[in-house]
Amino acid sequence: MIPVVLPLLLLLSPALAWIPLNEWESGNVTVSVGEAGQCVCHVYVPETTFPADRVQHMQQVSKDLILEVDIQVKKMVSYEGNLEVYLKELMDLTVRVAMLESSPDKYIKLDFEILRVELREFEALVSQLKDSLNSTSPMFDSLHTEIRNMTLIVNQLETFDKSNLEVIRIEFAKLQKKLQECQKEQEFIKPDIGNCNHTGIMAVSKPTVIQLNAHLSAGYQYGGWGKDSKPVRGYESMYFYGAYTSPNVYDFYLYSDYEKLILRSAFKHHDLPSGWEGTGNNYIVHGNTIYYQHNTPFSMSKLNLTSSKYEYRVIADASQRFSYSYSDHQNIDFAADENGLWVMYASEESKGKIILAKIDEKSFGIEDQWNTGVFKQLAGNAFMACGVMYATRSVDLNTEEIYYAFDTKTKQEKHLNVRFQKFQEKYTNLDYNPTDQKLYMYNNGYYVTYNVKFNRE
């Protein structure tokens, strides 16, 4: 230790003069009086030279540490943001795996592989984050466990998917078949209304069963329904319906449109007055007029729906002995097509074969007629389309067949084999409507329609 002598000037300071000398003696500092009477202080310091270079070094180290801490803090902020993103992605993956687990049959192999890749990427990100933070936090172990669990679930679900692959293939084949059937049905849904440039009917669609009749009773087996085949302005969407528990005609219901028909909300109900009752269920609506078979006298009759005026005309040679095979008293059958209004009946002279006649709508008389080769009692029903009469017959309980056609233009007849499905075995009314090229059938109390496809070679 090296003593350092302080000058006597210290004793001259007014602030120090009153302090006794022995008060300065403490630790590394001693005070005494020299030979000349001066005050001598002895101070002991550790070294002879002050370590300024070490202080500078420590200052630099301190700055570096502060900078490093700042960098690490920024990294922590960045990692915290990444961790939030990763946690959100993990939650999304968890939801997707849960959805996949709840309905694995809705996913394909590609979905499983994508999930597996994303899980691997997420596991790598979590590992990178853990290494960067040099942390052994349980949170990272939990994340790894969750990822492994989800990967296991994905693998199990893919195995489940493979085990049911044959079932899926069968269902897919069924779907393809239904699609093909739908495409075939689509061909019927694009009619060329009013165009008779074809060689006749080549196919009939599957039946569309609308619903049970408006009386909501299957007991009303005799009747008919459909649309006006020559609607007047404002009634283009009108439907009609009438049905009974026997082959009699007492009243008709009119509906403004298809929706009202379904809701059984008729805008008009026609009760046929005494003396104007009918029979046979072969009625149609044409030009806002209902045409039906009159009882007494046996004749064809019509009711104008606007004026409520009734008329009838007797067909001298029409017989009451010949009816269609599905129902009694279907002796006079009305039909309408692109060429106008028609009536079909049989006579004693024709030996029960159908006579086709064209009706003059103004005079309500017969303007022309043709003899056909169809024995009426063997036919299920008959209808007109583009001036051609078509007759049907039963093939079996579920199948009907258009087996005969007579062309009024060429006066030629030919045999056909156009089969279509029946909803139920027996029906009492079948008519073609030229406004939509559909067949309307009243089948054992149900409204049924068919689309018709013509051969347009």
Side-chain angles (χ1 to χ4, degrees):
M1 303 293 289
I2 306 300
V4 178
V5 180
L6 299 178
L8 186 60
L9 289 175
L10 292 172
L11 296 178
L12 299 179
S13 171
L16 299 175
W18 61 274
I19 300 175
L21 291 177
N22 59 358
E23 292 284 337
W24 287 86
E25 297 181 2
S26 175
N28 294 328
V29 179
T30 60
V31 180
S32 63
V33 179
E35 296 178 355
Q38 75 273 23
C39 181
V40 179
C41 294
H42 299 272
V43 180
Y44 296 89
V45 295
E47 296 180 1
T48 58
T49 306
F50 185 76
D53 57 337
R54 295 179 62 186
V55 172
Q56 184 178 5
H57 174 70
M58 289 304 297
Q59 288 178 336
Q60 185 61 42
V61 170
S62 177
K63 290 180 180 179
D64 293 342
L65 284 175
I66 292 174
L67 180 61
E68 182 65 23
V69 169
D70 185 58
I71 292 173
Q72 293 301 324
V73 169
K74 290 181 179 179
K75 283 185 178 181
M76 288 296 295
V77 173
S78 175
Y79 291 149
E80 183 181 3
N82 290 338
L83 183 59
E84 291 180 358
V85 174
Y86 297 156
L87 288 175
K88 184 178 183 302
E89 291 182 357
L90 180 60
M91 292 177 63
D92 293 341
L93 283 172
T94 304
V95 172
R96 290 175 59 191
V97 171
M99 293 174 60
L100 186 63
E101 188 175 14
S102 64
S103 54
D105 56 319
K106 295 181 180 179
Y107 293 82
I108 60 174
K109 183 176 181 180
L110 180 60
D111 295 302
F112 293 110
E113 189 59 34
I114 291 174
L115 274 174
R116 192 178 290 108
V117 169
E118 291 180 350
L119 284 169
R120 286 198 296 266
E121 291 177 350
F122 188 74
E123 185 176 18
L125 289 172
V126 172
S127 298
Q128 180 183 356
L129 181 62
K130 181 179 179 181
D131 295 339
S132 300
L133 295 176
N134 193 22
S135 173
T136 57
S137 170
M139 179 184 66
F140 292 105
D141 296 333
S142 176
L143 285 174
H144 279 293
T145 301
E146 183 68 23
I147 292 171
R148 284 195 297 270
N149 289 339
M150 285 197 295
T151 303
L152 181 62
I153 292 173
V154 170
N155 293 336
Q156 289 175 346
L157 289 175
E158 186 177 27
T159 302
F160 172 83
D161 185 63
K162 288 180 179 178
S163 66
N164 289 272
L165 184 59
E166 188 60 30
V167 176
I168 294 173
R169 285 174 179 169
I170 293 173
E171 292 300 320
F172 184 70
K174 291 180 180 178
L175 184 61
Q176 281 184 318
K177 185 177 180 181
K178 289 181 180 179
L179 180 60
Q180 291 173 353
E181 291 177 355
C182 181
Q183 288 174 337
K184 290 181 180 178
E185 290 296 314
Q186 190 70 20
E187 297 177 1
F188 293 101
I189 305 176
K190 298 178 181 178
D192 189 4
I193 306 300
N195 185 359
C196 288
N197 186 24
H198 54 73
T199 59
I201 294 176
M202 65 178 298
V204 176
S205 73
K206 290 185 177 181
T208 298
V209 182
I210 311 302
Q211 67 174 28
L212 188 63
N213 58 64
H215 289 92
L216 300 180
S217 173
Y220 284 72
Q221 299 182 16
Y222 303 92
W225 79 292
K227 293 179 66 177
D228 192 326
S229 52
K230 185 185 175 182
V232 298
R233 181 173 297 179
Y235 291 88
E236 293 85 356
S237 300
M238 186 183 74
Y239 284 80
F240 70 90
Y241 157 74
Y244 326 96
T245 56
S246 62
N248 295 311
V249 181
Y250 294 109
D251 59 359
F252 298 99
Y253 295 86
L254 302 178
Y255 307 87
S256 58
D257 53 38
Y258 182 81
E259 181 179 353
K260 293 296 189 295
L261 172 77
I262 299 301
L263 296 176
R264 298 180 296 116
S265 178
F267 75 86
K268 200 165 188 178
H269 177 209
H270 281 280
D271 271 314
L272 299 182
S274 177
W276 288 100
E277 299 91 343
T279 188
N281 320 120
N282 297 312
Y283 41 81
I284 64 169
V285 176
H286 183 77
N288 205 42
T289 300
I290 293 179
Y291 293 85
Y292 66 99
Q293 177 180 307
H294 193 204
N295 282 341
T296 306
F298 174 66
S299 59
M300 57 181 186
S301 180
K302 69 176 182 178
L303 163 63
N304 187 293
L305 297 176
T306 302
S307 64
S308 297
K309 180 182 178 181
Y310 291 84
E311 290 185 61
Y312 73 89
R313 291 289 186 274
V314 174
I315 303 177
D317 57 343
S319 172
Q320 298 185 59
R321 251 189 354 114
F322 306 102
S323 180
Y324 291 130
S325 62
Y326 291 130
S327 177
D328 295 332
H329 307 297
Q330 290 186 294
N331 309 117
I332 296 177
D333 184 13
F334 293 93
D337 66 359
E338 292 81 358
N339 295 341
L341 183 65
W342 310 81
V343 64
M344 293 167 283
Y345 60 94
S347 69
E348 299 297 333
E349 290 77 15
S350 69
K351 302 186 184 315
K353 292 184 178 181
I354 293 178
I355 298 172
L356 172 62
K358 184 74 163 47
I359 297 176
D360 185 317
E361 296 180 42
K362 291 183 179 180
S363 65
F364 196 29
I366 303 298
E367 65 178 57
D368 205 350
Q369 65 182 38
W370 300 262
N371 291 317
T372 73
V374 178
F375 189 61
K376 196 168 189 288
Q377 290 178 313
L378 295 181
N381 218 293
F383 61 91
M384 296 293 298
C386 287
V388 178
M389 188 195 82
Y390 295 93
T392 68
R393 65 183 176 187
S394 177
V395 176
D396 54 46
L397 295 179
N398 301 315
T399 309
E400 195 77 358
E401 177 187 49
I402 300 176
Y403 75 101
Y404 177 89
F406 180 87
D407 192 333
T408 57
K409 293 181 180 179
T410 63
K411 298 180 178 57
Q412 293 182 345
E413 57 184 1
K414 60 181 177 181
H415 292 277
L416 305 175
N417 183 24
V418 179
R419 297 189 175 188
F420 59 96
Q421 180 183 337
K422 287 184 289 189
F423 172 61
Q424 295 189 39
E425 180 184 1
K426 294 182 179 181
Y427 61 91
T428 58
N429 191 300
L430 180 66
D431 274 301
Y432 169 81
N433 194 304
T435 65
D436 54 15
Q437 293 187 346
K438 288 185 177 182
L439 291 176
Y440 287 80
M441 175 187 286
Y442 189 73
N443 187 204
N444 208 24
Y446 285 84
Y447 304 148
V448 182
T449 62
Y450 298 86
N451 292 302
V452 176
K453 184 178 181 181
F454 293 100
N455 187 0
R456 302 185 184 278
E457 294 180 348

